[in-house]
Amino acid sequence: MTEERRPYNEKWDHIDQKIRDICKDLVLSDEKLRQLMDTLNDQLHKGLGKETHATATTKCFPTYVQDLPQGTEKGNFLALDLGGTNFRVLLITLDEQNFDMKSKIYVIPQSLMVGTGVQLFDHIAHCLALFVKDLNLQNEVLPLGFTFSFPLDQHGLTKGYLIRWTKGFKCDDIIGEDIVDLLEQAIKKRGDVKIQICAILNDTTGTLMSCAWKNKNCRIGLIVGTGTNACYVEKLENIQTVYPENVLPGKPKMLINIEWGAFGEGTLLDFIATDIDRDVDENSINPAKQVFEKMISGMYMGELVRLLIEKAINAGLLFIGKSTNELKKRGRFYAKYVSEIENDPNGKYTNCREVLAELGLRNVTDQDCENVKYICSVVSRRAAHLASAGIATLLNKMDEDNVVVGIDGSVYRYHPHFHNLMTEKISQLQNHKFELMLSEDGSGRGAALVAAVAAGNR
């Protein structure tokens, strides 16, 4: 790691036992984390197996990415990154470990998010053409890597069938359709640019590829941001769900997209789920889904903290038992507040007081701030430890030393202690040497790199 991380040495001597009791179910022992590792390992094997795939909570989708970058890739490559209400188009020029990047963000109007698939992809193709023409590259054949951060059933590097929409999209007429084919048709219909779609992938695969370009030991990609997911390099002989006709000959390995946010759906994680987790789940837009994700990711982290704070207020342990209308609103305590509050140095509560003031809480005591900081630390520490147990499971499964884990996402990037918490816990849970590496522009550059590698294999 090159970036500076402050050592994690918080002391919680001044926390009342009653506050600790409210939070105690979120403090996980190594024994429970190892139980989680065993459960995840079992689910990974099920996801990779032909007969057991349907019942696995981690689907372990083959990505058909079988080569990592060599660092020698050259040329112009496009990347299209679609994962929310905006999408990004990038032109990446690679030349001997140097890269130049131009990018532009385009908005998807709400009407297109809930319209037809043809309308959506016509809009994307229109923006792609504008981007290419702005750079005066309309006469050049441009390989494109397409980062599509929605659940896909991939049958090949350029064949991905939409399983379901998330994040507010609802173009339901194309569920089950091949996303690459839809984009190709939209580009072809225009006839004004020469774009060759070389690969469709998700953001974890992009993160792994982006980090592998810089460090050839990168074998795991992890996202800890609004959501969470991971991918890793698996031996082809262990993957029973591939379509053999779309596998490159003589390539013994393939990247696997675990989709681990869904790990634990059903009752698998009941042994660590708390009443706070159940509250978050029941009031989410997808109850009983993405169980692991709801314990780790930024989308839910703030709400877990808010519910614990409310519990402490109701017990008369915070703010003399008085809440505010703002604090009572679901989703009002943001994940960024957790990072900001934990960024306060020991004994100083500047950020904490600012956050609490935004929520209508003024004239709070130092002890109130210390208690809130402790609650934040319990939630983020559990998230880091759960992600660590997941990575430790993969390191054991791969059974290799010196594996680099490429990581992207706002929680890992901005939380002051997440990196150190993960490094420490992964070391305690398994014995292989590893390194955590922050990804720079993972899903964008990674998509272009997949396209570059794929174009080289043609």
Side-chain angles (χ1 to χ4, degrees):
M1 288 296 300
T2 52
E3 72 271 22
E4 290 296 313
R5 302 274 178 161
R6 204 168 71 233
Y8 186 74
N9 56 2
E10 300 285 9
K11 299 283 186 284
W12 301 112
D13 305 337
H14 307 299
I15 301 299
D16 188 290
Q17 187 58 47
K18 289 174 182 172
I19 292 273
R20 292 173 190 271
D21 287 345
I22 280 172
C23 298
K24 71 178 192 301
D25 290 345
L26 281 87
V27 179
L28 299 175
S29 64
D30 282 0
E31 184 186 0
K32 281 202 169 175
L33 290 171
R34 289 200 165 91
Q35 186 180 343
L36 180 127
M37 288 169 66
D38 289 342
T39 309
L40 177 58
N41 190 49
D42 179 56
Q43 289 297 303
L44 292 175
H45 282 95
K46 283 184 172 171
L48 293 166
K50 200 165 192 174
E51 303 301 320
T52 49
H53 174 82
T55 60
T57 62
T58 53
K59 292 302 182 189
C60 294
F61 293 120
T63 64
Y64 297 86
V65 176
Q66 292 178 260
D67 284 311
L68 297 179
Q70 298 300 304
T72 55
E73 291 76 19
K74 286 185 179 183
N76 287 326
F77 303 94
L78 282 176
L80 169 60
D81 190 354
L82 176 66
T85 51
N86 298 333
F87 68 93
R88 207 159 50 128
V89 182
L90 307 95
L91 176 78
I92 292 180
T93 305
L94 297 171
D95 180 20
E96 294 293 339
Q97 277 291 309
N98 293 311
F99 88 102
D100 178 59
M101 186 173 83
K102 296 180 176 72
S103 69
K104 188 161 181 185
I105 292 171
Y106 296 92
V107 177
I108 300 177
Q110 174 68 24
S111 59
L112 292 182
M113 290 173 67
V114 296
T116 69
V118 168
Q119 290 170 326
L120 175 64
F121 281 95
D122 280 351
H123 175 66
I124 293 169
H126 170 68
C127 296
L128 268 173
L130 285 178
F131 182 79
V132 169
K133 287 175 182 175
D134 280 349
L135 296 169
N136 203 26
L137 291 170
Q138 62 269 28
N139 296 319
E140 185 177 328
V141 176
L142 295 167
L144 178 133
F146 185 6
T147 303
F148 186 79
S149 302
F150 301 91
L152 279 180
D153 181 13
Q154 256 186 274
H155 292 196
L157 197 53
T158 55
K159 275 196 187 308
Y161 298 89
L162 178 62
I163 292 171
R164 66 174 177 267
W165 287 109
T166 56
K167 307 172 199 175
F169 280 79
K170 207 169 166 42
C171 306
D172 288 348
D173 62 314
I174 55 168
I175 288 175
E177 298 281 320
D178 179 3
I179 294 302
V180 175
D181 186 54
L182 288 163
L183 182 56
E184 279 177 341
Q185 293 302 324
I187 294 168
K188 190 176 173 185
K189 196 161 50 178
R190 298 182 57 83
D192 54 353
V193 286
K194 299 174 179 177
I195 294 171
Q196 188 175 50
I197 304 170
C198 290
I200 188 164
L201 60 147
N202 79 352
D203 49 2
T204 17
T205 305
T207 296
L208 193 157
M209 292 294 280
S210 183
C211 290
W213 188 67
K214 285 197 155 185
N215 188 320
K216 291 183 179 175
N217 289 333
C218 188
R219 296 285 181 276
I220 296 173
L222 171 66
I223 303 282
V224 191
T226 307
T228 183
N229 190 16
C231 67
Y232 72 105
V233 178
E234 180 58 273
K235 296 183 184 79
L236 202 54
E237 66 201 45
N238 294 336
I239 311 167
Q240 296 178 7
T241 54
V242 292
Y243 287 78
E245 66 274 16
N246 294 323
V247 173
L248 293 171
K251 309 278 185 182
K253 295 184 176 180
M254 184 181 287
L255 264 63
I256 289 293
N257 166 25
I258 301 171
E259 289 290 345
W260 85 6
F263 170 49
E265 288 180 6
T267 58
L268 282 177
L269 294 185
D270 280 4
F271 70 97
I272 56 168
T274 67
D275 58 340
I276 299 291
D277 293 308
R278 284 183 278 274
D279 189 319
V280 166
D281 179 57
E282 285 163 13
N283 289 284
S284 69
I285 58 166
N286 54 348
K289 304 282 185 200
Q290 301 297 103
V291 174
F292 197 49
E293 182 167 82
K294 285 170 183 166
M295 296 178 177
I296 295 175
S297 74
M299 182 172 262
Y300 307 97
M301 187 179 278
E303 183 63 8
L304 291 166
V305 168
R306 189 192 71 81
L307 289 167
L308 287 169
I309 288 173
E310 282 280 275
K311 219 173 176 184
I313 292 171
N314 293 339
L317 302 169
L318 266 180
F319 316 131
I320 56 171
K322 291 179 181 172
S323 188
T324 65
N325 288 334
E326 284 298 293
L327 194 53
K328 286 176 181 172
K329 291 177 185 171
R330 285 197 179 274
R332 180 61 183 86
F333 198 102
Y334 308 131
K336 68 173 186 173
Y337 289 167
V338 180
S339 294
E340 287 166 6
I341 288 169
E342 290 199 67
N343 228 342
D344 273 332
N346 285 349
K348 306 276 187 189
Y349 306 110
T350 313
N351 293 346
C352 188
R353 283 196 158 89
E354 278 184 20
V355 166
L356 294 176
E358 278 188 42
L359 297 167
L361 291 152
R362 291 177 179 81
N363 305 318
V364 296
T365 66
D366 281 2
Q367 188 60 55
D368 282 334
C369 291
E370 185 74 356
N371 291 341
V372 168
K373 192 174 180 183
Y374 174 72
I375 289 170
C376 288
S377 82
V378 167
V379 170
S380 59
R381 193 182 181 95
R382 183 183 72 158
H385 286 176
L386 289 172
S388 300
I391 295 300
T393 307
L394 294 179
L395 290 169
N396 282 340
K397 189 174 192 314
M398 295 165 76
D399 197 22
E400 292 175 35
D401 257 340
N402 302 312
V403 168
V404 171
V405 183
I407 312 183
D408 204 352
S410 51
V411 173
Y412 179 80
R413 190 178 288 272
Y414 298 118
H415 189 282
H417 307 306
F418 221 83
H419 168 80
N420 288 341
L421 285 168
M422 284 191 67
T423 301
E424 179 185 53
K425 189 50 71 179
I426 295 167
S427 301
Q428 290 168 358
L429 292 174
Q430 57 80 53
N431 298 317
H432 295 91
K433 289 178 185 167
F434 69 95
E435 182 189 339
L436 305 183
M437 176 182 179
L438 179 66
S439 168
E440 294 165 28
D441 192 54
S443 53
R445 184 166 66 190
L449 284 162
V450 174
V453 172
N457 281 326
R458 290 189 171 203

